[in-house]
């Protein structure tokens, strides 16, 4: 036996569909908040800056290692100079003193060269440190803005959630009034095709926007008020109203 429902019960489906449409819109709104796109952009920017920071930090560490090696070389050369100078003072051999003076000349030149290299490396380190500090500031700024946008996103989601709660409550109230068998058919069609009920207005099914053919309109006119009619284009329950153009 074909399912039947009173015109009033069928009309409830339009209210139910309106709530379901509203809920779908709110779900879409929650998934497409502008803050989400902004946060995604910040995430990409942060990843790029973090990579740059890691490279700069690694470069700084390499320079620090290089500087320590040079400082160690300076200490070694300085110690040898002091040793040779002491030996010159205590040696009575002209030959040994001459050899020591020659070595001291080379050591002092090496010491000056190392000092120049050390100064250059220190300048590089200072420059690299500034770059690291600059990138750190960029990361801090991104983190701050990310936190601000996260707060805005939470506020926006709270608004959507509150609206959804109201819509869901309204839907539940309408669904409770719809006969179980009619509600089951509505839910089945909505799950399959996306729309459970469609208003027929001026001969047009609003779910699909398709104008019914004249023979289809004649069949609807001939149907009993409590007959369930399905929309051929949207597969939704076609609800007749005073605006249907019958």
């Amino acid at each position: 036996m074909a399912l039947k429902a009173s015109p009033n019960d069928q009309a409830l489906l339009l209210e139910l569909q309106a709530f379901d449409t509203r809920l779908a819109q709110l779900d879409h709104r929650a998934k497409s908040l502008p803050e989400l796109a902004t946060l995604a952009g910040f995430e990409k920017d942060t990843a790029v800056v973090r990579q740059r920071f890691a490279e700069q930090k690694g470069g700084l560490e390499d320079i620090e290692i290089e500087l320590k090696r040079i400082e160690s070389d300076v200490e070694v050369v300085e110690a040898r100079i002091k040793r040779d100078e002491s030996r010159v003072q205590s040696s009575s051999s002209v030959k040994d003193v001459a050899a020591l003076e020659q070595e001291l000349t080379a050591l002092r030149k090496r010491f000056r060269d190392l000092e120049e290299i050390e100064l250059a490396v220190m300048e590089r380190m200072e420059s690299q440190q500034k770059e690291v500090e600059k990138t750190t500031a960029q990361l801090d700024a991104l983190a701050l803005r990310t936190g601000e946008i996260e707060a805005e996103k939470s506020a926006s989601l709270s608004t959507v959630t509150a609206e959804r709660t109201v819509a869901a409550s309204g839907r539940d109230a309408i669904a409770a009034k719809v006969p179980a068998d009619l509600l089951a058919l509505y839910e089945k069609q909505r799950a399959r095709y996306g729309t459970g009920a469609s208003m027929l207005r001026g001969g047009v099914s609003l779910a699909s926007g398709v104008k019914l053919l004249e023979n289809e309109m004649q069949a609807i006119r001939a149907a009993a008020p409590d007959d369930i009619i399905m929309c051929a284009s949207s597969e939704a329950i076609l609800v007749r109203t005073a605006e249907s153009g019958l």
Side-chain angles (χ1 to χ4, degrees):
M1 183 176 181
L3 176 64
K4 289 181 175 290
S6 71
N8 287 339
D9 287 341
Q10 292 188 48
L12 289 174
L13 297 181
L14 295 179
E15 295 183 56
L16 194 62
Q17 182 61 67
F19 276 117
D20 283 331
T21 299
R22 176 59 176 160
L23 288 169
Q25 290 171 341
L26 289 169
D27 289 341
H28 175 73
R29 182 171 149 196
K31 294 177 182 177
S32 56
L33 291 173
E35 293 88 350
L36 294 174
T38 301
L39 287 171
F42 282 170
E43 185 176 355
K44 291 181 180 179
D45 292 344
T46 299
V48 171
V49 178
R50 278 179 179 163
Q51 178 63 33
R52 184 164 69 245
F53 175 80
E55 292 171 356
Q56 291 174 344
K57 192 69 174 176
L60 180 60
E61 290 172 355
D62 290 342
I63 294 173
E64 289 173 344
I65 291 172
E66 182 181 359
L67 180 60
K68 287 180 180 179
R69 179 181 58 78
I70 294 171
E71 288 174 339
S72 177
D73 289 347
V74 168
E75 290 176 359
V76 170
V77 173
E78 191 173 24
R80 289 182 62 184
I81 289 173
K82 289 180 179 180
R83 183 200 63 185
D84 284 1
E85 286 177 341
S86 177
R87 290 173 64 186
V88 167
Q89 294 297 324
S90 62
S91 178
S92 58
S93 171
V94 175
K95 183 178 179 181
D96 290 344
V97 169
L100 287 169
E101 288 291 356
Q102 185 176 2
E103 183 175 328
L104 279 169
T105 299
L107 286 172
R108 286 169 182 147
K109 181 180 183 306
R110 174 62 176 160
F111 184 79
R112 289 192 298 272
D113 291 343
L114 285 173
E115 282 189 320
E116 290 179 4
I117 294 172
E118 183 180 25
L119 180 60
V121 172
M122 290 177 68
E123 289 175 349
R124 282 170 48 211
M125 186 171 70
E126 182 180 359
S127 176
Q128 187 73 3
Q129 183 63 48
K130 288 180 179 178
E131 290 300 315
V132 170
E133 291 172 355
K134 179 180 176 182
T135 303
T136 299
Q138 291 176 337
L139 283 174
D140 290 343
L142 280 168
L144 178 61
R145 284 295 294 140
T146 297
E148 293 172 347
I149 299 301
E150 284 283 2
E152 293 175 13
K153 182 196 76 173
S154 296
S156 297
L157 279 177
S158 294
T159 300
V160 173
T161 300
E163 292 180 25
R164 199 184 192 289
T165 298
V166 173
S169 178
R171 184 197 193 279
D172 290 343
I174 295 299
K177 299 177 183 179
V178 180
D181 52 357
L182 180 61
L183 181 62
L185 177 61
Y186 168 87
E187 297 288 17
K188 176 183 176 182
Q189 299 306 106
R190 187 170 71 90
R192 285 184 175 180
Y193 306 107
T195 305
S198 173
M199 176 188 284
L200 178 63
R201 175 185 290 169
V204 176
S205 171
L206 297 189
S208 63
V210 175
K211 185 174 180 60
L212 274 63
L213 300 175
E214 182 55 33
N215 64 318
E216 293 175 318
M217 291 294 289
Q218 290 178 357
I220 293 173
R221 293 187 186 102
D226 60 353
D227 282 344
I228 300 297
I229 299 173
M230 307 304 294
C231 174
S233 54
S234 68
E235 299 295 339
I237 298 170
L238 198 60
V239 179
R240 293 160 284 174
T241 70
E243 303 177 49
S244 294
L246 298 175

